[in-house]
PDB file of all heavy atoms in Angstrom:
ATOM      1  N   MET A   1     -42.537 151.428 249.793  1.00  0.00           N
ATOM      2  CA  MET A   1     -41.914 152.570 249.127  1.00  0.00           C
ATOM      3  C   MET A   1     -41.708 152.298 247.639  1.00  0.00           C
ATOM      4  O   MET A   1     -41.761 153.219 246.825  1.00  0.00           O
ATOM      5  CB  MET A   1     -40.577 152.899 249.791  1.00  0.00           C
ATOM      6  CG  MET A   1     -40.697 153.371 251.233  1.00  0.00           C
ATOM      7  SD  MET A   1     -41.795 154.801 251.452  1.00  0.00           S
ATOM      8  CE  MET A   1     -43.287 154.017 252.103  1.00  0.00           C
ATOM      9  N   ALA A   2     -41.474 151.049 247.256  1.00  0.00           N
ATOM     10  CA  ALA A   2     -41.366 150.717 245.835  1.00  0.00           C
ATOM     11  C   ALA A   2     -42.698 150.953 245.127  1.00  0.00           C
ATOM     12  O   ALA A   2     -42.729 151.477 244.003  1.00  0.00           O
ATOM     13  CB  ALA A   2     -40.919 149.262 245.677  1.00  0.00           C
ATOM     14  N   ILE A   3     -43.791 150.576 245.756  1.00  0.00           N
ATOM     15  CA  ILE A   3     -45.117 150.847 245.171  1.00  0.00           C
ATOM     16  C   ILE A   3     -45.340 152.350 245.038  1.00  0.00           C
ATOM     17  O   ILE A   3     -45.872 152.831 244.023  1.00  0.00           O
ATOM     18  CB  ILE A   3     -46.220 150.200 246.032  1.00  0.00           C
ATOM     19  CG1 ILE A   3     -46.045 148.685 246.071  1.00  0.00           C
ATOM     20  CG2 ILE A   3     -47.602 150.562 245.497  1.00  0.00           C
ATOM     21  CD1 ILE A   3     -47.011 147.987 247.008  1.00  0.00           C
ATOM     22  N   LEU A   4     -44.927 153.111 246.034  1.00  0.00           N
ATOM     23  CA  LEU A   4     -45.091 154.562 245.990  1.00  0.00           C
ATOM     24  C   LEU A   4     -44.285 155.182 244.854  1.00  0.00           C
ATOM     25  O   LEU A   4     -44.774 156.061 244.125  1.00  0.00           O
ATOM     26  CB  LEU A   4     -44.680 155.162 247.334  1.00  0.00           C
ATOM     27  CG  LEU A   4     -44.818 156.678 247.489  1.00  0.00           C
ATOM     28  CD1 LEU A   4     -46.243 157.105 247.249  1.00  0.00           C
ATOM     29  CD2 LEU A   4     -44.353 157.111 248.870  1.00  0.00           C
ATOM     30  N   VAL A   5     -43.042 154.728 244.666  1.00  0.00           N
ATOM     31  CA  VAL A   5     -42.212 155.255 243.581  1.00  0.00           C
ATOM     32  C   VAL A   5     -42.819 154.914 242.222  1.00  0.00           C
ATOM     33  O   VAL A   5     -42.860 155.754 241.311  1.00  0.00           O
ATOM     34  CB  VAL A   5     -40.775 154.708 243.706  1.00  0.00           C
ATOM     35  CG1 VAL A   5     -39.957 155.072 242.470  1.00  0.00           C
ATOM     36  CG2 VAL A   5     -40.110 155.266 244.949  1.00  0.00           C
ATOM     37  N   ILE A   6     -43.297 153.691 242.059  1.00  0.00           N
ATOM     38  CA  ILE A   6     -43.895 153.281 240.787  1.00  0.00           C
ATOM     39  C   ILE A   6     -45.132 154.107 240.473  1.00  0.00           C
ATOM     40  O   ILE A   6     -45.397 154.433 239.315  1.00  0.00           O
ATOM     41  CB  ILE A   6     -44.224 151.777 240.828  1.00  0.00           C
ATOM     42  CG1 ILE A   6     -42.932 150.963 240.875  1.00  0.00           C
ATOM     43  CG2 ILE A   6     -45.058 151.358 239.629  1.00  0.00           C
ATOM     44  CD1 ILE A   6     -43.150 149.482 241.087  1.00  0.00           C
ATOM     45  N   SER A   7     -45.886 154.480 241.485  1.00  0.00           N
ATOM     46  CA  SER A   7     -47.097 155.271 241.250  1.00  0.00           C
ATOM     47  C   SER A   7     -46.798 156.720 240.882  1.00  0.00           C
ATOM     48  O   SER A   7     -47.642 157.394 240.287  1.00  0.00           O
ATOM     49  CB  SER A   7     -47.990 155.240 242.496  1.00  0.00           C
ATOM     50  OG  SER A   7     -47.357 155.906 243.585  1.00  0.00           O
ATOM     51  N   VAL A   8     -45.601 157.212 241.220  1.00  0.00           N
ATOM     52  CA  VAL A   8     -45.253 158.616 240.960  1.00  0.00           C
ATOM     53  C   VAL A   8     -44.467 158.782 239.661  1.00  0.00           C
ATOM     54  O   VAL A   8     -44.587 159.802 238.974  1.00  0.00           O
ATOM     55  CB  VAL A   8     -44.453 159.185 242.157  1.00  0.00           C
ATOM     56  CG1 VAL A   8     -43.931 160.587 241.849  1.00  0.00           C
ATOM     57  CG2 VAL A   8     -45.311 159.217 243.397  1.00  0.00           C
ATOM     58  N   LEU A   9     -43.679 157.793 239.274  1.00  0.00           N
ATOM     59  CA  LEU A   9     -42.772 157.933 238.142  1.00  0.00           C
ATOM     60  C   LEU A   9     -43.457 158.284 236.815  1.00  0.00           C
ATOM     61  O   LEU A   9     -42.930 159.116 236.065  1.00  0.00           O
ATOM     62  CB  LEU A   9     -41.937 156.658 237.983  1.00  0.00           C
ATOM     63  CG  LEU A   9     -40.792 156.475 238.980  1.00  0.00           C
ATOM     64  CD1 LEU A   9     -40.032 155.191 238.677  1.00  0.00           C
ATOM     65  CD2 LEU A   9     -39.859 157.669 238.958  1.00  0.00           C
ATOM     66  N   PRO A  10     -44.585 157.679 236.442  1.00  0.00           N
ATOM     67  CA  PRO A  10     -45.180 158.040 235.141  1.00  0.00           C
ATOM     68  C   PRO A  10     -45.490 159.522 234.985  1.00  0.00           C
ATOM     69  O   PRO A  10     -45.231 160.109 233.925  1.00  0.00           O
ATOM     70  CB  PRO A  10     -46.462 157.192 235.099  1.00  0.00           C
ATOM     71  CG  PRO A  10     -46.166 156.023 235.960  1.00  0.00           C
ATOM     72  CD  PRO A  10     -45.318 156.551 237.076  1.00  0.00           C
ATOM     73  N   ILE A  11     -46.010 160.161 236.015  1.00  0.00           N
ATOM     74  CA  ILE A  11     -46.314 161.588 235.937  1.00  0.00           C
ATOM     75  C   ILE A  11     -45.026 162.403 235.867  1.00  0.00           C
ATOM     76  O   ILE A  11     -44.943 163.408 235.146  1.00  0.00           O
ATOM     77  CB  ILE A  11     -47.170 162.020 237.139  1.00  0.00           C
ATOM     78  CG1 ILE A  11     -48.459 161.191 237.194  1.00  0.00           C
ATOM     79  CG2 ILE A  11     -47.506 163.500 237.055  1.00  0.00           C
ATOM     80  CD1 ILE A  11     -49.310 161.308 235.950  1.00  0.00           C
ATOM     81  N   LEU A  12     -43.986 161.971 236.598  1.00  0.00           N
ATOM     82  CA  LEU A  12     -42.715 162.692 236.547  1.00  0.00           C
ATOM     83  C   LEU A  12     -42.066 162.596 235.174  1.00  0.00           C
ATOM     84  O   LEU A  12     -41.366 163.520 234.743  1.00  0.00           O
ATOM     85  CB  LEU A  12     -41.762 162.139 237.602  1.00  0.00           C
ATOM     86  CG  LEU A  12     -42.122 162.404 239.065  1.00  0.00           C
ATOM     87  CD1 LEU A  12     -41.069 161.816 239.982  1.00  0.00           C
ATOM     88  CD2 LEU A  12     -42.280 163.895 239.334  1.00  0.00           C
ATOM     89  N   PHE A  13     -42.281 161.503 234.467  1.00  0.00           N
ATOM     90  CA  PHE A  13     -41.702 161.353 233.136  1.00  0.00           C
ATOM     91  C   PHE A  13     -42.475 162.158 232.093  1.00  0.00           C
ATOM     92  O   PHE A  13     -41.903 162.670 231.135  1.00  0.00           O
ATOM     93  CB  PHE A  13     -41.675 159.879 232.735  1.00  0.00           C
ATOM     94  CG  PHE A  13     -40.586 159.105 233.410  1.00  0.00           C
ATOM     95  CD1 PHE A  13     -40.784 157.791 233.798  1.00  0.00           C
ATOM     96  CD2 PHE A  13     -39.356 159.686 233.673  1.00  0.00           C
ATOM     97  CE1 PHE A  13     -39.781 157.074 234.426  1.00  0.00           C
ATOM     98  CE2 PHE A  13     -38.347 158.980 234.300  1.00  0.00           C
ATOM     99  CZ  PHE A  13     -38.562 157.672 234.678  1.00  0.00           C
ATOM    100  N   ILE A  14     -43.783 162.271 232.258  1.00  0.00           N
ATOM    101  CA  ILE A  14     -44.609 162.952 231.256  1.00  0.00           C
ATOM    102  C   ILE A  14     -44.560 164.462 231.439  1.00  0.00           C
ATOM    103  O   ILE A  14     -44.533 165.218 230.465  1.00  0.00           O
ATOM    104  CB  ILE A  14     -46.059 162.444 231.331  1.00  0.00           C
ATOM    105  CG1 ILE A  14     -46.113 160.962 230.931  1.00  0.00           C
ATOM    106  CG2 ILE A  14     -46.976 163.258 230.434  1.00  0.00           C
ATOM    107  CD1 ILE A  14     -47.475 160.353 231.095  1.00  0.00           C
ATOM    108  N   TYR A  15     -44.511 164.932 232.675  1.00  0.00           N
ATOM    109  CA  TYR A  15     -44.635 166.368 232.945  1.00  0.00           C
ATOM    110  C   TYR A  15     -43.590 167.225 232.242  1.00  0.00           C
ATOM    111  O   TYR A  15     -43.929 168.284 231.699  1.00  0.00           O
ATOM    112  CB  TYR A  15     -44.600 166.608 234.450  1.00  0.00           C
ATOM    113  CG  TYR A  15     -44.698 168.065 234.833  1.00  0.00           C
ATOM    114  CD1 TYR A  15     -45.925 168.715 234.831  1.00  0.00           C
ATOM    115  CD2 TYR A  15     -43.569 168.794 235.183  1.00  0.00           C
ATOM    116  CE1 TYR A  15     -46.023 170.050 235.180  1.00  0.00           C
ATOM    117  CE2 TYR A  15     -43.653 170.126 235.517  1.00  0.00           C
ATOM    118  CZ  TYR A  15     -44.874 170.743 235.517  1.00  0.00           C
ATOM    119  OH  TYR A  15     -44.964 172.063 235.849  1.00  0.00           O
ATOM    120  N   PRO A  16     -42.277 166.846 232.210  1.00  0.00           N
ATOM    121  CA  PRO A  16     -41.297 167.731 231.546  1.00  0.00           C
ATOM    122  C   PRO A  16     -41.584 167.980 230.072  1.00  0.00           C
ATOM    123  O   PRO A  16     -41.231 169.042 229.544  1.00  0.00           O
ATOM    124  CB  PRO A  16     -39.966 166.976 231.732  1.00  0.00           C
ATOM    125  CG  PRO A  16     -40.169 166.137 232.926  1.00  0.00           C
ATOM    126  CD  PRO A  16     -41.601 165.719 232.877  1.00  0.00           C
ATOM    127  N   PHE A  17     -42.224 167.028 229.377  1.00  0.00           N
ATOM    128  CA  PHE A  17     -42.506 167.221 227.963  1.00  0.00           C
ATOM    129  C   PHE A  17     -43.716 168.133 227.739  1.00  0.00           C
ATOM    130  O   PHE A  17     -43.883 168.687 226.656  1.00  0.00           O
ATOM    131  CB  PHE A  17     -42.767 165.865 227.299  1.00  0.00           C
ATOM    132  CG  PHE A  17     -41.596 164.930 227.362  1.00  0.00           C
ATOM    133  CD1 PHE A  17     -41.538 163.936 228.322  1.00  0.00           C
ATOM    134  CD2 PHE A  17     -40.537 165.066 226.484  1.00  0.00           C
ATOM    135  CE1 PHE A  17     -40.458 163.068 228.393  1.00  0.00           C
ATOM    136  CE2 PHE A  17     -39.444 164.210 226.548  1.00  0.00           C
ATOM    137  CZ  PHE A  17     -39.410 163.213 227.503  1.00  0.00           C
ATOM    138  N   ILE A  18     -44.563 168.293 228.756  1.00  0.00           N
ATOM    139  CA  ILE A  18     -45.763 169.119 228.619  1.00  0.00           C
ATOM    140  C   ILE A  18     -45.583 170.475 229.266  1.00  0.00           C
ATOM    141  O   ILE A  18     -46.340 171.405 229.042  1.00  0.00           O
ATOM    142  CB  ILE A  18     -46.981 168.392 229.246  1.00  0.00           C
ATOM    143  CG1 ILE A  18     -47.072 166.961 228.721  1.00  0.00           C
ATOM    144  CG2 ILE A  18     -48.277 169.113 228.928  1.00  0.00           C
ATOM    145  CD1 ILE A  18     -47.340 166.856 227.242  1.00  0.00           C
ATOM    146  N   GLN A  19     -44.522 170.644 230.076  1.00  0.00           N
ATOM    147  CA  GLN A  19     -44.364 171.859 230.866  1.00  0.00           C
ATOM    148  C   GLN A  19     -44.286 173.112 229.999  1.00  0.00           C
ATOM    149  O   GLN A  19     -44.816 174.163 230.369  1.00  0.00           O
ATOM    150  CB  GLN A  19     -43.112 171.734 231.726  1.00  0.00           C
ATOM    151  CG  GLN A  19     -42.874 172.933 232.639  1.00  0.00           C
ATOM    152  CD  GLN A  19     -41.578 172.806 233.409  1.00  0.00           C
ATOM    153  OE1 GLN A  19     -40.785 171.909 233.133  1.00  0.00           O
ATOM    154  NE2 GLN A  19     -41.353 173.698 234.359  1.00  0.00           N
ATOM    155  N   LYS A  20     -43.639 173.021 228.841  1.00  0.00           N
ATOM    156  CA  LYS A  20     -43.461 174.202 227.999  1.00  0.00           C
ATOM    157  C   LYS A  20     -44.780 174.737 227.470  1.00  0.00           C
ATOM    158  O   LYS A  20     -44.869 175.889 227.047  1.00  0.00           O
ATOM    159  CB  LYS A  20     -42.536 173.876 226.838  1.00  0.00           C
ATOM    160  CG  LYS A  20     -43.063 172.775 225.923  1.00  0.00           C
ATOM    161  CD  LYS A  20     -42.091 172.465 224.796  1.00  0.00           C
ATOM    162  CE  LYS A  20     -42.621 171.360 223.890  1.00  0.00           C
ATOM    163  NZ  LYS A  20     -41.674 171.059 222.788  1.00  0.00           N
ATOM    164  N   HIS A  21     -45.832 173.918 227.463  1.00  0.00           N
ATOM    165  CA  HIS A  21     -47.129 174.347 226.955  1.00  0.00           C
ATOM    166  C   HIS A  21     -48.023 174.944 228.035  1.00  0.00           C
ATOM    167  O   HIS A  21     -49.108 175.417 227.724  1.00  0.00           O
ATOM    168  CB  HIS A  21     -47.862 173.176 226.311  1.00  0.00           C
ATOM    169  CG  HIS A  21     -47.147 172.582 225.134  1.00  0.00           C
ATOM    170  ND1 HIS A  21     -46.861 173.312 223.996  1.00  0.00           N
ATOM    171  CD2 HIS A  21     -46.661 171.339 224.911  1.00  0.00           C
ATOM    172  CE1 HIS A  21     -46.232 172.542 223.122  1.00  0.00           C
ATOM    173  NE2 HIS A  21     -46.098 171.342 223.655  1.00  0.00           N
ATOM    174  N   PHE A  22     -47.613 174.899 229.310  1.00  0.00           N
ATOM    175  CA  PHE A  22     -48.509 175.309 230.382  1.00  0.00           C
ATOM    176  C   PHE A  22     -48.891 176.782 230.286  1.00  0.00           C
ATOM    177  O   PHE A  22     -50.068 177.134 230.358  1.00  0.00           O
ATOM    178  CB  PHE A  22     -47.869 175.020 231.741  1.00  0.00           C
ATOM    179  CG  PHE A  22     -48.342 173.744 232.347  1.00  0.00           C
ATOM    180  CD1 PHE A  22     -47.869 172.535 231.872  1.00  0.00           C
ATOM    181  CD2 PHE A  22     -49.261 173.736 233.367  1.00  0.00           C
ATOM    182  CE1 PHE A  22     -48.296 171.352 232.423  1.00  0.00           C
ATOM    183  CE2 PHE A  22     -49.696 172.557 233.917  1.00  0.00           C
ATOM    184  CZ  PHE A  22     -49.214 171.358 233.451  1.00  0.00           C
ATOM    185  N   ALA A  23     -47.895 177.657 230.169  1.00  0.00           N
ATOM    186  CA  ALA A  23     -48.195 179.092 230.168  1.00  0.00           C
ATOM    187  C   ALA A  23     -49.084 179.470 228.994  1.00  0.00           C
ATOM    188  O   ALA A  23     -50.098 180.157 229.149  1.00  0.00           O
ATOM    189  CB  ALA A  23     -46.895 179.895 230.138  1.00  0.00           C
ATOM    190  N   LYS A  24     -48.738 178.992 227.800  1.00  0.00           N
ATOM    191  CA  LYS A  24     -49.521 179.337 226.621  1.00  0.00           C
ATOM    192  C   LYS A  24     -50.889 178.676 226.638  1.00  0.00           C
ATOM    193  O   LYS A  24     -51.902 179.285 226.322  1.00  0.00           O
ATOM    194  CB  LYS A  24     -48.760 178.934 225.361  1.00  0.00           C
ATOM    195  CG  LYS A  24     -49.468 179.325 224.068  1.00  0.00           C
ATOM    196  CD  LYS A  24     -48.643 178.927 222.851  1.00  0.00           C
ATOM    197  CE  LYS A  24     -49.380 179.305 221.568  1.00  0.00           C
ATOM    198  NZ  LYS A  24     -48.616 178.888 220.372  1.00  0.00           N
ATOM    199  N   GLY A  25     -50.941 177.428 227.044  1.00  0.00           N
ATOM    200  CA  GLY A  25     -52.191 176.697 227.008  1.00  0.00           C
ATOM    201  C   GLY A  25     -53.218 177.237 227.972  1.00  0.00           C
ATOM    202  O   GLY A  25     -54.420 177.258 227.673  1.00  0.00           O
TER     203      GLY A  25
END
């Protein structure tokens, strides 16, 4: 489960900063 969390965290950290551009982009 630690390996699974480590594999998911980078995308979870990056996505909120890019989310505002989704509709326009």
Side-chain angles (χ1 to χ4, degrees):
M1 295 305 102
I3 298 174
L4 181 58
V5 171
I6 292 173
S7 66
V8 173
L9 284 182
I11 303 301
L12 291 181
F13 284 144
I14 295 175
Y15 179 79
F17 298 99
I18 310 296
Q19 182 184 9
K20 61 181 180 180
H21 299 299
F22 262 76
K24 183 179 179 182

